[in-house]
Structure formats: C-alpha cells, structure tokens
Amino acid sequence: IHKSGHSVWIFDRARVFGRDAAGKPQSILGVATDISYRKKSEQELAEKEERFRTLAEALPQLIWMTDGAGHSLYNNSYWQQYIPAGQDHESYFWNQVLHPHDYEPLKEAWTKSLVQKTALQVEVRLRKTAEDYRWHSGNGQPVCDAQGN
C-alpha cells in the first residue's frame, strides 16, 4: 500500500552483504521498485489482444498473421475448415489447400509483398473438401516498426 493509501505493484530485490560468525545476516541491501505503470500497460495490452482475438474469431473470414519472414503467427479458427487440427499450417496450406495453378502466382505475390513491404492482393482457389475448391480474395497489409522492419 502506497503512503497515499492506494495499492501499487512492487518489484523487490535484496542481497545479504555481511554475516556474523554464526552466519546471521549483518547487512542487507534492498531495492523496491514501483512497477505499477508496467503492470497497467501489460493489462491494457492483454485487453487489446483479447479484443483482437474476439473480433478475429467472430468474423467468418480466413484471418492470418505472419512474421517478417512469412512464417505463421496466428490463424483464426475459421481456418480449421480448410486445415485440420494438428497439421502444420504453412506446409499444409501450400501443399494441400492451395490450388496447384495458383501456387506460382501466389508465391510471386507473397515474396514481393514480403521483400517490398507492400500490400498483398491476390485471388486464389482454396480446397475446402477433397474436390471442392473455392475462390478467395486474399488481402494482406504489412505492419512495420519505426525502422521499417
């Protein structure tokens, strides 16, 4: 409890520096740091992530997120209609879901988007069942940090 009466988060560390002959601590140096701001920021971030996931799961769309190299970070549950649980999303998508004739055009557009950090806009056929391909409009937008990465 802060001296003004409100609760605060504290990160506390201490170290014994001297002991007497019996091994009892004689001097201890300790530091207590108020980390309430960090905890508040972490809570706000968790709430924003939960709102994003709620939205992404509620939409009847295939929603995905990758890292800068194009490796899958997030796929909403709607993808389960196309990619069975337990399958590696990336390899299954490229080898089982994507129509063979759309492989090269998508690979080219995907690579260009990753290298140039530009929006991705493609139309591809995705296999939903053994013999049922459905056309999809794929749109992706790069999200870069302040350094453009």
Side-chain angles (χ1 to χ4, degrees):
I1 304 280
H2 191 272
K3 64 183 176 183
S4 66
H6 67 278
S7 296
V8 294
W9 282 93
I10 298 293
F11 177 71
D12 189 25
R13 295 185 69 171
R15 183 174 178 190
V16 174
F17 278 96
R19 296 182 184 273
D20 64 16
K24 291 178 80 177
Q26 293 298 304
S27 59
I28 299 173
L29 176 62
V31 176
T33 306
D34 182 345
I35 59 168
S36 299
Y37 181 76
R38 188 187 88 200
K39 288 295 199 175
K40 181 180 180 208
S41 295
E42 289 171 354
Q43 179 64 34
E44 290 171 353
L45 179 59
E47 290 169 3
K48 288 178 182 178
E49 288 176 350
E50 181 60 28
R51 284 194 297 273
F52 164 77
R53 289 189 191 280
T54 299
L55 175 64
E57 294 300 326
L59 294 172
Q61 306 291 326
L62 299 171
I63 297 176
W64 45 269
M65 189 180 327
T66 67
D67 63 15
H71 301 293
S72 183
L73 296 174
Y74 172 78
N75 302 291
N76 71 342
S77 59
Y78 197 67
W79 277 102
Q80 292 174 2
Q81 295 181 23
Y82 291 82
I83 299 175
Q87 294 291 333
D88 175 65
H89 183 88
E90 291 171 50
S91 65
Y92 197 87
F93 173 81
W94 289 99
N95 297 310
Q96 301 293 326
V97 176
L98 183 64
H99 191 281
H101 293 130
D102 297 334
Y103 181 88
E104 286 302 323
L106 178 57
K107 184 178 175 187
E108 183 179 310
W110 182 258
T111 301
K112 178 181 175 186
S113 176
L114 288 174
V115 171
Q116 296 180 358
K117 297 176 178 71
T118 57
L120 171 74
Q121 293 184 322
V122 294
E123 290 185 356
V124 295
R125 291 162 284 186
L126 303 180
R127 184 191 327 236
K128 190 165 184 176
T129 63
E131 295 156 10
D132 180 27
Y133 280 95
R134 296 186 178 190
W135 280 99
H136 287 267
S137 174
N139 299 284
Q141 183 65 41
V143 177
C144 300
D145 61 20
Q147 289 76 37
N149 299 314

